[in-house]
Amino acid sequence: MTSVILRRVLSTIPVMAIVALFVFSLLYIAPGDPAAVIAGDQASPEDVEKIRQGLGLDRPYLVRFVEWVFQILHGDLGTSIFTNMPVTTLIAQRVEPTLSLMLMTLVMAVAVAVPMGVIAAWKADTWIDRAAMGFAVFGFSTPVFVVGYLIAYVFALKLGWFPVQGYQPIARGVGPWLSSLILPSVTLAFVYIALIARITRAAMLDVLSQDYIRTAKAKGVGQRAILFVHALKNAAVPIVTVIGIGVALLIGGAVVTESVFAIPGLGRLIVDAILRRDYPVIQGVVLLFSLVYVLVNLGVDLVYTLVDPRIRY
């Protein structure tokens, strides 16, 4: 078991190495001369050369890559070209809104999707099952920005229940913080609920057809205990797995959701950086998102390794 866990942990190193190589190469695979694009049409050759030196484009590729990796290992993600602030500082300023949005979305999605999937499996082939899966198909097929604009139009502009845009830090009070996150979280959770509900239903249907479930029913065990104690417990592995995999949906959806609701998080930060060709910021945020995704999936993989009795060596 220890060797399996160690192999899982060590396997993240080459993954992050490949991600780091790709992120660093963004400067070199971008069309045109990044320094000239950043400087603009009115810049002098001296200004362009200064930007090239700041980006390290005047040094060999491998030398600059080794230097960049060394900086990252020491916690230095570089300096923003436009704000002249350290990228780590910019990320630290924007991490609270994104983290709050993702955590609330995760809690909301799991709280809704798991019971929905369980009930759909329990009422399989009934109108309840078809309604739940119809909602799941609709949610998975609708773009995040469409859901966001519809929800904002109805609940913010027409009804006035929530603010249209913006974010209130939790330091200003839990009430304003929750109010500013409700609509963005519902928007982002829409597709996540659809994914988790479908997997939960499929896993529960498989478990409910097992012999021990029929034995529990024959012994007179209550329906609630069968569903949430016996069946859901044994169907938890694929559900937890898809929750971890779905973090990619949260990361990608957060970029769109923060743009729709003007939330000053990491998603808005990377969008603004892309529009301004601020490559150090782009590299830093993409690297952070990749690290979070790899670590979450590593955690899911370790949980699967610990709970699956078939994995012992």
mmCIF file of all heavy atoms in Angstrom, residues 137-154:
data_model
loop_
_atom_site.group_PDB
_atom_site.id
_atom_site.type_symbol
_atom_site.label_atom_id
_atom_site.label_comp_id
_atom_site.label_asym_id
_atom_site.label_seq_id
_atom_site.Cartn_x
_atom_site.Cartn_y
_atom_site.Cartn_z
ATOM 1 N N VAL A 137 -29.203 16.718 -18.416
ATOM 2 C CA VAL A 137 -28.813 16.910 -19.816
ATOM 3 C C VAL A 137 -28.861 18.394 -20.184
ATOM 4 O O VAL A 137 -27.952 18.925 -20.839
ATOM 5 C CB VAL A 137 -29.728 16.091 -20.747
ATOM 6 C CG1 VAL A 137 -29.464 16.450 -22.208
ATOM 7 C CG2 VAL A 137 -29.517 14.599 -20.526
ATOM 8 N N PHE A 138 -29.907 19.076 -19.751
ATOM 9 C CA PHE A 138 -30.029 20.504 -20.030
ATOM 10 C C PHE A 138 -28.889 21.292 -19.389
ATOM 11 O O PHE A 138 -28.287 22.174 -20.016
ATOM 12 C CB PHE A 138 -31.378 21.020 -19.533
ATOM 13 C CG PHE A 138 -31.556 22.500 -19.693
ATOM 14 C CD1 PHE A 138 -31.819 23.049 -20.942
ATOM 15 C CD2 PHE A 138 -31.462 23.350 -18.597
ATOM 16 C CE1 PHE A 138 -31.978 24.420 -21.096
ATOM 17 C CE2 PHE A 138 -31.622 24.714 -18.735
ATOM 18 C CZ PHE A 138 -31.879 25.254 -19.994
ATOM 19 N N GLY A 139 -28.597 20.958 -18.127
ATOM 20 C CA GLY A 139 -27.535 21.664 -17.425
ATOM 21 C C GLY A 139 -26.172 21.432 -18.032
ATOM 22 O O GLY A 139 -25.343 22.345 -18.116
ATOM 23 N N PHE A 140 -25.917 20.213 -18.497
ATOM 24 C CA PHE A 140 -24.620 19.894 -19.065
ATOM 25 C C PHE A 140 -24.467 20.460 -20.471
ATOM 26 O O PHE A 140 -23.348 20.614 -20.959
ATOM 27 C CB PHE A 140 -24.421 18.374 -19.100
ATOM 28 C CG PHE A 140 -22.991 17.943 -19.066
ATOM 29 C CD1 PHE A 140 -22.243 18.083 -17.910
ATOM 30 C CD2 PHE A 140 -22.385 17.411 -20.190
ATOM 31 C CE1 PHE A 140 -20.915 17.697 -17.873
ATOM 32 C CE2 PHE A 140 -21.059 17.027 -20.163
ATOM 33 C CZ PHE A 140 -20.322 17.173 -19.000
ATOM 34 N N SER A 141 -25.581 20.757 -21.127
ATOM 35 C CA SER A 141 -25.531 21.230 -22.513
ATOM 36 C C SER A 141 -25.559 22.748 -22.633
ATOM 37 O O SER A 141 -25.260 23.278 -23.707
ATOM 38 C CB SER A 141 -26.723 20.656 -23.309
ATOM 39 O OG SER A 141 -26.756 19.244 -23.237
ATOM 40 N N THR A 142 -25.934 23.443 -21.571
ATOM 41 C CA THR A 142 -26.080 24.896 -21.632
ATOM 42 C C THR A 142 -24.776 25.574 -21.246
ATOM 43 O O THR A 142 -24.215 25.271 -20.192
ATOM 44 C CB THR A 142 -27.200 25.367 -20.687
ATOM 45 O OG1 THR A 142 -28.394 24.633 -20.953
ATOM 46 C CG2 THR A 142 -27.466 26.845 -20.874
ATOM 47 N N PRO A 143 -24.265 26.494 -22.056
ATOM 48 C CA PRO A 143 -23.034 27.215 -21.703
ATOM 49 C C PRO A 143 -23.181 27.985 -20.397
ATOM 50 O O PRO A 143 -24.268 28.483 -20.074
ATOM 51 C CB PRO A 143 -22.821 28.156 -22.897
ATOM 52 C CG PRO A 143 -23.579 27.532 -24.016
ATOM 53 C CD PRO A 143 -24.760 26.855 -23.393
ATOM 54 N N VAL A 144 -22.082 28.098 -19.678
ATOM 55 C CA VAL A 144 -22.105 28.760 -18.375
ATOM 56 C C VAL A 144 -22.525 30.221 -18.517
ATOM 57 O O VAL A 144 -23.307 30.738 -17.698
ATOM 58 C CB VAL A 144 -20.718 28.656 -17.707
ATOM 59 C CG1 VAL A 144 -20.678 29.479 -16.426
ATOM 60 C CG2 VAL A 144 -20.389 27.203 -17.401
ATOM 61 N N PHE A 145 -22.021 30.909 -19.543
ATOM 62 C CA PHE A 145 -22.334 32.335 -19.652
ATOM 63 C C PHE A 145 -23.818 32.562 -19.953
ATOM 64 O O PHE A 145 -24.395 33.570 -19.529
ATOM 65 C CB PHE A 145 -21.453 32.994 -20.722
ATOM 66 C CG PHE A 145 -21.759 32.594 -22.135
ATOM 67 C CD1 PHE A 145 -22.673 33.322 -22.896
ATOM 68 C CD2 PHE A 145 -21.144 31.502 -22.713
ATOM 69 C CE1 PHE A 145 -22.958 32.967 -24.198
ATOM 70 C CE2 PHE A 145 -21.415 31.139 -24.016
ATOM 71 C CZ PHE A 145 -22.326 31.868 -24.761
ATOM 72 N N VAL A 146 -24.472 31.620 -20.660
ATOM 73 C CA VAL A 146 -25.909 31.752 -20.926
ATOM 74 C C VAL A 146 -26.689 31.632 -19.624
ATOM 75 O O VAL A 146 -27.599 32.428 -19.345
ATOM 76 C CB VAL A 146 -26.370 30.689 -21.940
ATOM 77 C CG1 VAL A 146 -27.890 30.719 -22.101
ATOM 78 C CG2 VAL A 146 -25.694 30.901 -23.287
ATOM 79 N N VAL A 147 -26.340 30.629 -18.817
ATOM 80 C CA VAL A 147 -26.996 30.471 -17.514
ATOM 81 C C VAL A 147 -26.772 31.707 -16.659
ATOM 82 O O VAL A 147 -27.693 32.208 -15.993
ATOM 83 C CB VAL A 147 -26.454 29.215 -16.802
ATOM 84 C CG1 VAL A 147 -27.080 29.069 -15.411
ATOM 85 C CG2 VAL A 147 -26.733 27.961 -17.623
ATOM 86 N N GLY A 148 -25.548 32.231 -16.672
ATOM 87 C CA GLY A 148 -25.234 33.400 -15.865
ATOM 88 C C GLY A 148 -26.052 34.614 -16.243
ATOM 89 O O GLY A 148 -26.616 35.304 -15.376
ATOM 90 N N TYR A 149 -26.156 34.896 -17.541
ATOM 91 C CA TYR A 149 -26.922 36.066 -17.975
ATOM 92 C C TYR A 149 -28.409 35.893 -17.671
ATOM 93 O O TYR A 149 -29.085 36.859 -17.279
ATOM 94 C CB TYR A 149 -26.705 36.308 -19.459
ATOM 95 C CG TYR A 149 -25.360 36.932 -19.782
ATOM 96 C CD1 TYR A 149 -24.514 36.364 -20.726
ATOM 97 C CD2 TYR A 149 -24.941 38.083 -19.121
ATOM 98 C CE1 TYR A 149 -23.275 36.936 -21.015
ATOM 99 C CE2 TYR A 149 -23.712 38.657 -19.399
ATOM 100 C CZ TYR A 149 -22.887 38.076 -20.346
ATOM 101 O OH TYR A 149 -21.672 38.644 -20.623
ATOM 102 N N LEU A 150 -28.944 34.685 -17.850
ATOM 103 C CA LEU A 150 -30.362 34.456 -17.558
ATOM 104 C C LEU A 150 -30.659 34.635 -16.075
ATOM 105 O O LEU A 150 -31.637 35.286 -15.687
ATOM 106 C CB LEU A 150 -30.763 33.051 -18.018
ATOM 107 C CG LEU A 150 -30.869 32.829 -19.530
ATOM 108 C CD1 LEU A 150 -31.160 31.366 -19.826
ATOM 109 C CD2 LEU A 150 -31.952 33.719 -20.131
ATOM 110 N N ILE A 151 -29.822 34.048 -15.236
ATOM 111 C CA ILE A 151 -30.031 34.147 -13.792
ATOM 112 C C ILE A 151 -29.886 35.602 -13.331
ATOM 113 O O ILE A 151 -30.666 36.093 -12.508
ATOM 114 C CB ILE A 151 -29.042 33.232 -13.047
ATOM 115 C CG1 ILE A 151 -29.426 31.764 -13.268
ATOM 116 C CG2 ILE A 151 -29.008 33.552 -11.560
ATOM 117 C CD1 ILE A 151 -28.487 30.791 -12.615
ATOM 118 N N ALA A 152 -28.881 36.295 -13.848
ATOM 119 C CA ALA A 152 -28.695 37.701 -13.462
ATOM 120 C C ALA A 152 -29.878 38.554 -13.907
ATOM 121 O O ALA A 152 -30.319 39.447 -13.171
ATOM 122 C CB ALA A 152 -27.394 38.230 -14.068
ATOM 123 N N TYR A 153 -30.400 38.288 -15.088
ATOM 124 C CA TYR A 153 -31.527 39.071 -15.598
ATOM 125 C C TYR A 153 -32.775 38.874 -14.743
ATOM 126 O O TYR A 153 -33.469 39.845 -14.405
ATOM 127 C CB TYR A 153 -31.815 38.670 -17.045
ATOM 128 C CG TYR A 153 -33.009 39.377 -17.649
ATOM 129 C CD1 TYR A 153 -32.913 40.703 -18.075
ATOM 130 C CD2 TYR A 153 -34.234 38.725 -17.781
ATOM 131 C CE1 TYR A 153 -34.009 41.359 -18.621
ATOM 132 C CE2 TYR A 153 -35.333 39.369 -18.327
ATOM 133 C CZ TYR A 153 -35.220 40.685 -18.742
ATOM 134 O OH TYR A 153 -36.311 41.324 -19.276
ATOM 135 N N VAL A 154 -33.046 37.613 -14.365
ATOM 136 C CA VAL A 154 -34.281 37.317 -13.625
ATOM 137 C C VAL A 154 -34.167 37.744 -12.168
ATOM 138 O O VAL A 154 -35.012 38.486 -11.638
ATOM 139 C CB VAL A 154 -34.622 35.819 -13.734
ATOM 140 C CG1 VAL A 154 -35.823 35.481 -12.844
ATOM 141 C CG2 VAL A 154 -34.904 35.432 -15.181
#
